Each structure stands twice: as C-alpha cells, then as structure tokens.
C-alpha cells in the first residue's frame, strides 16, 4: 500500500488512494488491443510465411504445421517486393533488408516480420508500425553460445592461441614469444550483466577469476547469488585485469570505450568484445594497443562488418579476431529457428508476443487522448533514472497516477510501459512497448508497482499528474529525494505540453523539452541572472527557468530547460557559483 506521507497532504480529505496488486487496471471492453488482424489465407486456407534466409530445420518443420512456407533465398529487392504481397509473415536473418518499400509492396497483407536473432537493424521499425506489422525477434536462444564464445576468446587471448597457431603453421617453432598470462586470481570486469554477461560471469568464476560487474539495472542480490560484485563503471574499468563487453549499441554506449576510458584502465589490461562493435572507438583502441595501455584485445564484432581488407585493428599482432561467430553453434541456430517460428506463429494467431520489438496497434481514441501523457511518462522515467548513482542498481519503481476518472475508465498500461521504456531503454538493446514492457522489466529485476489517486472534480482530463519514484538507490542530486528517501519526480501536461512540476520536495515548473539543469542553491537575489548569464555567454539557449523553494531565504531548486547540451566548462562555471550547493545535467 502507498504511504500517505506526501500524497494526502496535496489533496483534500475527500481524495481516495486506490492500489491494485496486479498493477493493471480494468478497462472497458471497447478498449481492446488488437495485436494482429486476421491473415489472408493462402493455399489450403493457411497463412503464407516467406523465409528468405536459411533457418534451422526444426523451425521450418514447426512453421509447416501451421502455414504454407516458401523458402526463397538470395532474393533481390525487386523479387522480395513482388513476393511479399502474397505473404502474411516474413522471416529473415541479418542479410535481408526489410525497408519501407517492402511494407508498401505488401499492400497491408504482411502482418509479422520475424528476425532470427537479436539485432533488428535491417528492419525499418517505423515503417512496420505505420503499416500495422508486428516485428518479433529471437533474443534468448543464442545466450549460451555467445557466452561460450566470449570465454573462448578470453582464454585464447590470454594464451596467444591464434598467434601461436599461425606461427607453427608458417613452419616456425617460437615458444618464448607466446608466453601467456594466467586467469586464476585475476579480476574480470563484465560490463553489462544481462543474459550473456551473467553467463560469462558464471563461467569465469569457474576458471578461478574474481568477477566484478557494472550494470545500472542489475539487482545486487542477483549478482551476489553467483559470487559477483556489483560496482560503479569507474571502479570496474580501473581495477580490472580483463574487461568483457556485453553492452547493447545505443546512443549512450556508442564509443564508450574511448581515449578517456582507456586512460582510466590498468596498464596491460585485456579486452574482449562479443557484443556490438560500435561500443569501442576502434581508432582509440589502436592507440591504446600501441601505447601498451591495452595489452591484448579479442574481438568478434566490429563497427563495420565485414571490416575492410587492410583493417589495422584486425591485422594488429595483439588482436585476436573472429567474424561475428558469437551465435554460431548448431545448437544455437536450431534454438533461434524454433524461437522465431513460435513467435511468428503466435503473432499470426493474435497472441501477445513477449519478443515484440515495435508497438502493437492501439485504438486511435486511446492514443489521441493519452498522447501527451505518453510523452510525459517516458520523460519522467528517463529523468528519474539519470538521477540514480552508485552500484546498487534500479529494482523498485513506483508510479502514481492522479485522476478524477473511475478506475475502469482509464487504461494506464501504455503509460506504465512508457515509464519502463524511459527507465530501461536508454542503455538496452530492446525496444520497449506495451507488449514487452513487463517482460523486459521482470527480466532485468525491476519491480514496477502502480497507484491510483482518485480525485474529486471533472474527469475531462484523463490524468492530473504522474509521479515516478525509485526506491533503494542513491541520488546524484540529493534534493531529488523525498522524505522517505526515494528519488521522486512529478509531472503534468499543461496546455498539451509535458512539464516537470516537482523534484523531491521542491515544486518547479519546466517544460520537458530538450534537456534540464537542476541546481540546489541558497535562496537569494540574482541567482537566475548569474546562471542565465553563464549559459548566454556560451550560446546555450534557455527555454524555461523556474525556482521552487521551501521558504524565503532558505534552500531552493532551480530548474532550467536548455535546447543544447552545455559544455563541461560551462557546467563547471555554474557549479562554481558560491551559492549553488549541487547541480546535475539531465538529457531528455
């Protein structure tokens, strides 16, 4: 149950707090979600599924029990566009580009695209959603294969296996040159403690390594259960003898391994990457190898695949390279084929798919009404998670909706999904939507609870405000903590624009557009002018600015909306103002 500490004081005594243990509120029957409409029938009254790249036989057999299966490989774009108008589903690997022209050519018949694997870079998700086509993938079947390949590269790199093999095949017998290093007692930092990262950690523990990990969403108890210590990013990279990367490629992780992060590492560190090539700045890695900061690297993935023929990183003597073989075992390929086949068949039957990576179709009446609140929910989640610091991980999130509507007249599932999206998606490789949000949150150990504050008044607006709280974490901005010690942010929709209206105990009023700077200060005259002057001198446009305070002359929180990201030097100047006690920059 919710505490009435903060909420009951905001509203009159006639307000009622309603909680739902299932965290899903009843909705009227007219607001059903239709995931996939009925398929057009092919021969024999069955749907038709086109498979354009080789799929494991077990998956093909499963598909044939439900549908007519057309296995046509190496199709040109023109051939694919011609065939697709006769198909209800399409299954591809990474080699087939499924762009807008494919969806246009389907003339509305294509209902499902299945990606046999994890990455969906080759599928135009926006076009798929626009044309009412669900996209599903197969994210779990290759977990063990990828983890095993990571360990194989780790051990091969430590003992110079590839280099020694090439040497002896060239007729040489060079033993002293290929003296390796032992793994026992060494510290391995696993960056990204998801499915593959945790399996690598288990196996490394079996090799006698001390394993630490950094992942802002990994629960500490889950890490402890397999003997792994959860630490900050800085501690992980600065204390590790070996680093194994298991990060998705997102805006936040692109080129995360760069000159700055390499400079923080132990001299002689060794790096393994079986995740995504783009998380490493390859030019910076070359410099780190040449300078000796990085002793060796083992790479299964590259920024551009395949790499150019004379790629200096691939040819470097201290690099062990493989051509993206992480999922390439017979068992994994069969598992992927079954997983994607089951997802496609389930979607064609109209079942909700936990591996869906784009939004299902939602009635237009609901979308129109909730559109600004959907944006608000995601941005509150994105803002709240950026306030988290420390190594404990996010595991408890509470969302409160204040509304004058009856519980059965407000479908909040989409809002809940958007809060989860805002909290998890920035550093995740999955696309979060109404279908898969709860699944992804549970998979990452994030418990989401919901509350309803039922207000007296007109139900004209579906929601008066949304509050997001994150419990059991430390905050980068102490003023964002509520009286009960949770990170707390609150927002409303004002004239159609999502706005931040409360941070911790401080009331603010700033549009959630662009980015936000939060400053805690001593409440005194001239503070707004000083900060605005610094930003103006650096050509940073201020869109909104507001100040919330406890009492005159005491502490206040200034919220500043900015269109551009200020430089580190600009932010330092703000922090150096004597009356400012703390500040934080948040990207939205």
């Amino acid at each position: 149950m919710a505490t009435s500490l903060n909420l009951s004081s905001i509203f009159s005594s006639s307000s009622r707090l309603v909680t739902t243990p299932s965290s899903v509120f009843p909705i009227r029957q007219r607001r059903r979600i239709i995931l996939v409409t009925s398929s057009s029938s092919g021969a024999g009254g069955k749907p038709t599924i086109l498979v354009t790249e080789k799929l494991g036989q077990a998956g093909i057999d499963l598909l044939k029990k439900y549908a007519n299966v057309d296995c046509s490989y190496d199709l040109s774009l023109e051939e694919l566009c011609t065939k697709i108008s006769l198909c209800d589903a399409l299954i591809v690997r990474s080699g087939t580009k499924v762009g807008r022209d494919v969806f246009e050519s389907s003339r509305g018949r294509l209902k499902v695209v299945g990606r046999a694997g994890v990455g969906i870079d080759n599928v135009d998700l926006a076009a798929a959603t626009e044309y009412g086509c669900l996209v599903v993938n197969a994210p779990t079947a290759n977990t063990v294969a990828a983890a095993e390949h990571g360990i194989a590269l780790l051990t091969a790199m430590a003992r110079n296996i590839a280099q020694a093999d090439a040497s002896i095949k060239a007729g040489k017998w060079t033993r002293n040159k290929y003296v390796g290093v032992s793994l026992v007692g060494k510290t391995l930092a696993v960056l990204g403690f998801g499915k593959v990262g945790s399996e690598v950690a288990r196996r490394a523990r079996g090799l006698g390594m001390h394993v630490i990990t950094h992942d802002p969403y990994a629960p500490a108890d889950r890490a402890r259960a397999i003997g792994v210590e959860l630490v900050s990013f800085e501690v992980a990279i600065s204390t590790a003898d070996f680093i194994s990367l298991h990060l998705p490629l997102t805006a936040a992780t692109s080129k995360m391994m760069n000159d700055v992060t390499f400079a923080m590492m132990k001299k002689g560190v060794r790096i393994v990457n079986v995740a995504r090539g783009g998380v490493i700045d390859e030019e910076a890695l070359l410099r780190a190898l040449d300078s000796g900061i990085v002793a060796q690297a083992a790479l299964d993935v590259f920024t551009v695949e395949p790499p150019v023929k004379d790629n200096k990183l691939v040819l470097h003597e201290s690099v062990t390279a493989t051509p993206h073989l992480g999922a390439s075992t017979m068992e994994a390929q069969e598992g992927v084929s079954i997983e994607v086949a089951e997802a496609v068949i389930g979607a064609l039957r109209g079942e909700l798919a936990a591996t869906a990576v784009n939004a299902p179709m939602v009635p237009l009446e609901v979308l129109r009404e909730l559109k600004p609140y959907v944006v608000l929910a995601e941005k509150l989640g994105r803002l709240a998670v950026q306030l988290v610091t420390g190594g404990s991980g996010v595991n408890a999130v509470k969302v409160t909706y204040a509304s004058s509507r009856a519980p059965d007249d407000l479908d909040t599932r989409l809002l809940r999904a958007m809060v989860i999206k805002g909290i998890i998606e920035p550093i995740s490789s999955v696309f979060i939507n109404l279908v898969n949000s709860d699944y992804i949150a549970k998979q990452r150990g994030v418990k989401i609870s919901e509350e309803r504050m039922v207000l007296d008044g007109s139900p004209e607006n579906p929601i008066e405000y949304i509050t997001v709280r994150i419990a059991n974490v430390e905050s980068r901005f102490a003023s964002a903590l509520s009286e009960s010690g949770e990170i707390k942010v609150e927002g409303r929709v004002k004239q159609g624009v999502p706005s931040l209206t409360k941070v911790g105990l401080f009331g603010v009023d700033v549009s959630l557009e662009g980015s936000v700077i939060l400053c805690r200060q001593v409440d005194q005259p001239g503070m707004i002018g000083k900060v605005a002057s610094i930003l103006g001198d650096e050509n940073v446009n201020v869109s909104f600015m507001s100040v919330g305070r406890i009492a005159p002359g005491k502490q206040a929180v200034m919220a500043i909306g900015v269109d551009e990201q200020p430089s580190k030097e600009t932010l330092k100047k703000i922090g150096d103002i004597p009356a400012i006690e703390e500040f934080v920059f948040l990207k939205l």
Side-chain angles (χ1 to χ4, degrees):
M1 293 292 291
T3 62
S4 59
L5 181 63
N6 298 317
L7 298 176
S8 62
S9 62
I10 297 174
F11 302 101
S12 65
S13 59
S14 59
S15 298
R16 313 188 302 282
L17 184 65
V18 179
T19 62
T20 56
S22 66
S23 297
V24 176
F25 306 117
I27 59 173
R28 291 182 175 178
Q29 189 64 28
R30 64 183 174 84
R31 296 191 177 191
R32 293 177 300 164
I33 294 168
I34 303 171
L35 181 61
V36 179
T37 58
S38 300
S39 301
S40 304
S41 296
K46 293 181 177 181
T48 298
I49 299 175
L50 174 62
V51 181
T52 62
E53 296 175 72
K54 188 157 181 64
L55 196 67
Q57 191 58 45
I60 296 294
D61 292 343
L62 192 59
L63 293 170
K64 286 182 176 179
K65 292 179 181 178
Y66 176 76
N68 300 305
V69 181
D70 178 358
C71 294
S72 297
Y73 306 146
D74 301 318
L75 295 177
S76 67
L77 177 59
E78 183 179 357
E79 291 169 332
L80 176 59
C81 289
T82 299
K83 274 183 170 288
I84 205 65
S85 63
L86 303 175
C87 300
D88 305 288
L90 169 66
I91 295 180
V92 301
R93 301 188 76 88
S94 60
T96 302
K97 304 299 180 185
V98 188
R100 178 171 293 275
D101 41 7
V102 174
F103 294 106
E104 289 175 349
S105 299
S106 75
R107 299 186 181 91
R109 178 166 173 175
L110 186 64
K111 299 299 184 295
V112 189
V113 173
R115 165 68 167 94
V118 180
I120 40 78
D121 299 344
N122 55 317
V123 180
D124 187 333
L125 289 177
T129 304
E130 181 180 332
Y131 282 87
C133 182
L134 189 70
V135 180
V136 297
N137 65 352
T140 63
N142 60 10
T143 296
V144 170
E148 289 177 344
H149 195 62
I151 292 295
L153 286 176
L154 179 76
T155 54
M157 172 180 65
R159 297 307 298 269
N160 300 300
I161 299 298
Q163 294 86 345
D165 176 69
S167 175
I168 197 169
K169 285 178 177 175
K172 302 176 183 178
W173 186 259
T174 310
R175 298 180 64 192
N176 292 338
K177 184 177 180 180
Y178 300 116
V179 174
V181 294
S182 180
L183 300 179
V184 173
K186 300 294 172 59
T187 296
L188 170 67
V190 176
L191 301 185
F193 200 63
K195 295 185 292 292
V196 178
S198 57
E199 290 300 324
V200 167
R202 291 177 193 276
R203 287 158 176 75
R205 287 269 298 155
L207 294 171
M209 302 188 80
H210 169 59
V211 182
I212 59 178
T213 186
H214 171 72
D215 187 322
Y217 301 110
D221 55 354
R222 178 165 159 254
R224 282 196 299 269
I226 59 175
V228 175
E229 182 184 358
L230 200 61
V231 299
S232 68
F233 176 75
E234 291 76 12
V235 170
I237 65 172
S238 63
T239 59
D241 302 299
F242 293 81
I243 295 174
S244 187
L245 302 177
H246 303 284
L247 302 162
L249 181 59
T250 68
T253 62
S254 179
K255 296 188 177 181
M256 178 180 279
M257 297 293 110
N258 52 45
D259 288 315
V260 174
T261 48
F262 287 133
M264 297 170 63
M265 298 176 188
K266 274 185 178 182
K267 187 175 178 62
V269 70
R270 290 170 167 82
I271 296 175
V272 177
N273 188 12
V274 294
R276 289 290 184 265
V279 302
I280 294 179
D281 181 334
E282 293 181 352
E283 292 297 323
L285 177 56
L286 264 175
R287 290 189 288 272
L289 284 162
D290 290 339
S291 68
I293 293 176
V294 176
Q296 291 178 294
L299 310 173
D300 185 49
V301 288
F302 301 88
T303 302
V304 176
E305 294 183 356
V308 295
K309 189 174 182 180
D310 57 349
N311 185 292
K312 292 181 181 179
L313 200 56
V314 174
L315 298 176
H316 201 287
E317 188 178 19
S318 297
V319 172
T320 300
T322 53
H324 206 146
L325 298 178
S328 295
T329 66
M330 291 185 290
E331 294 82 359
Q333 295 304 302
E334 285 296 288
V336 165
S337 73
I338 293 171
E339 187 173 11
V340 75
E342 288 177 341
V344 167
I345 292 170
L348 286 175
R349 287 173 173 164
E351 300 168 2
L352 295 179
T355 60
V357 294
N358 68 333
M361 290 176 284
V362 177
L364 282 177
E365 61 185 78
V366 177
L367 284 178
R368 286 195 190 104
E369 184 174 59
L370 291 183
K371 183 178 179 180
Y373 301 93
V374 166
V375 177
L376 173 65
E378 180 179 353
K379 290 195 173 184
L380 287 176
R382 190 175 293 264
L383 189 151
V385 79
Q386 289 182 72
L387 292 168
V388 175
T389 190
S392 58
V394 175
N395 52 48
V397 178
K398 182 183 290 183
V399 186
T400 300
Y401 311 98
S403 175
S404 300
R405 293 192 179 179
D408 65 347
D409 196 30
L410 180 64
D411 183 355
T412 61
R413 291 177 298 171
L414 186 54
L415 301 176
R416 169 191 170 94
M418 291 303 101
V419 171
I420 296 172
K421 178 184 179 76
I423 289 174
I424 297 178
E425 194 173 271
I427 65 162
S428 171
S429 60
V430 297
F431 290 81
I432 295 174
N433 54 56
L434 181 58
V435 175
N436 65 1
S437 58
D438 285 342
Y439 172 82
I440 298 298
K442 182 177 180 181
Q443 190 179 53
R444 283 162 170 72
V446 181
K447 182 180 179 182
I448 310 289
S449 61
E450 291 179 294
E451 296 176 338
R452 280 285 303 277
M453 176 68 76
V454 181
L455 311 176
D456 290 335
S458 170
E460 180 180 352
N461 293 326
I463 294 172
E464 289 301 318
Y465 72 82
I466 299 173
T467 303
V468 176
R469 295 177 177 87
I470 302 180
N472 308 319
V473 294
E474 298 174 27
S475 177
R476 294 171 57 202
F477 188 67
S479 301
L481 296 175
S482 67
E483 290 180 358
S484 55
E486 304 162 313
I487 288 176
K488 176 185 174 183
V489 292
E490 184 177 298
R492 299 171 183 260
V493 172
K494 296 186 174 184
Q495 296 180 333
V497 179
S499 299
L500 178 66
T501 54
K502 183 169 280 191
V503 177
L505 302 176
F506 294 86
V508 296
D509 186 4
V510 59
S511 172
L512 288 174
E513 298 173 318
S515 298
V516 174
I517 301 171
L518 298 176
C519 304
R520 185 182 70 197
Q521 64 188 58
V522 177
D523 184 31
Q524 63 184 40
M527 292 302 300
I528 291 177
K530 288 179 181 178
V531 174
S533 177
I534 291 172
L535 293 170
D537 289 344
E538 300 293 331
N539 250 350
V540 177
N541 190 52
V542 175
S543 56
F544 288 92
M545 185 177 286
S546 75
V547 176
R549 61 187 183 178
I550 297 175
K554 295 188 178 181
Q555 287 183 328
V557 165
M558 185 183 340
I560 309 152
V562 292
D563 293 336
E564 302 87 14
Q565 179 169 345
S567 66
K568 291 181 180 178
E569 293 75 16
T570 302
L571 292 173
K572 184 178 184 302
K573 288 179 183 178
I574 294 174
D576 287 342
I577 298 173
I580 289 184
E581 299 173 339
E582 63 170 343
F583 75 97
V584 64
F585 173 75
L586 305 169
K587 293 185 70 172
L588 297 175

